[in-house]
């Protein structure tokens, strides 16, 4: 099977970028910068979230959130299928297509987890995350 060629663009709806900005900039020491295409959010020079348009072989680009994951969650996301996709860069990078059905609470969790993968432990300790051992 032939490899699909991707096209990367700045085509991201303003409301999606604004929602991501609100989520990302609440995290300790997070900052925003223009990426090679799209916008990315960083902590200590490490990219934990990136929004850009991605198109496949002549299909119009769709907005995609790039984020980091690890361990069992990464494997689950790899197998989940749409709206998740493997991006092909970085062993722990995943993508989430942003559309009218996007669950923004899930986006907040994914971005927070991504931040925690990339940030130093002293900043991770400042992040309010649910206790994974709490089953209530």
């Amino acid at each position: 099977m032939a490899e699909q060629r991707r096209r990367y663009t700045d085509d991201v709806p303003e409301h999606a970028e604004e929602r991501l900005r609100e989520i990302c900039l609440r995290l300790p020491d997070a900052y925003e910068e223009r990426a090679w295409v799209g916008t990315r959010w960083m902590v200590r020079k490490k990219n934990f979230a990136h929004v850009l348009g991605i198109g496949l072989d002549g299909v119009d680009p769709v907005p995609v959130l790039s984020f980091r994951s690890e361990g069992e969650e990464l494997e689950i996301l790899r197998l989940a299928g749409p709206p998740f996709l493997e991006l092909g860069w970085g062993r722990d990078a995943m993508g989430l297509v942003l559309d009218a059905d996007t669950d923004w609470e899930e986006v907040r969790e994914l971005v927070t987890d991504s931040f925690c993968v990339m940030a130093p432990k002293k900043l991770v300790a400042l992040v309010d995350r649910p206790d994974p051992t709490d089953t209530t």
Side-chain angles (χ1 to χ4, degrees), residues 66-69 74 78 86-94:
S66 165
F67 61 95
R68 306 294 178 139
S69 187
L74 176 60
R78 282 183 174 150
E86 286 192 67
L87 296 172
W89 63 75
R91 69 183 187 283
D92 59 356
M94 290 296 299

Side-chain angles (χ1 to χ4, degrees), residues 106-123:
E106 179 179 37
V107 169
R108 182 180 308 280
E109 291 172 19
L110 293 168
V111 166
T112 301
D113 288 346
S114 181
F115 174 88
C116 292
V117 168
M118 303 307 290
K121 289 179 184 173
K122 71 178 187 174
L123 292 179

Side-chain angles (χ1 to χ4, degrees), residues 12-27:
V12 175
E14 191 173 321
H15 73 276
E17 190 168 320
E18 286 295 323
R19 290 189 86 164
L20 285 166
R21 180 174 292 119
E22 176 188 324
I23 292 167
C24 293
L25 293 181
R26 288 181 180 219
L27 295 163

Side-chain angles (χ1 to χ4, degrees), residues 3-4 22 28 37 43 48 63 75 78 82 96 128:
E3 181 77 18
Q4 288 188 323
E22 176 188 324
V37 64
V43 60
F48 69 90
E75 293 310 312
R78 282 183 174 150
L96 171 65
D128 184 24

Side-chain angles (χ1 to χ4, degrees), residues 13-70:
E14 191 173 321
H15 73 276
E17 190 168 320
E18 286 295 323
R19 290 189 86 164
L20 285 166
R21 180 174 292 119
E22 176 188 324
I23 292 167
C24 293
L25 293 181
R26 288 181 180 219
L27 295 163
D29 284 359
Y31 61 96
E32 178 180 317
E33 67 180 29
R34 187 84 187 111
W36 52 278
V37 64
T39 302
R40 65 183 171 195
W41 290 272
M42 314 276 286
V43 60
R44 304 282 167 94
K45 298 184 181 182
K46 293 182 179 179
N47 180 347
F48 69 90
H50 182 179
V51 66
L52 68 160
I54 299 179
L56 295 174
D57 286 338
V59 175
D60 287 341
V62 294
V64 174
L65 166 65
S66 165
F67 61 95
R68 306 294 178 139
S69 187
E70 62 184 0

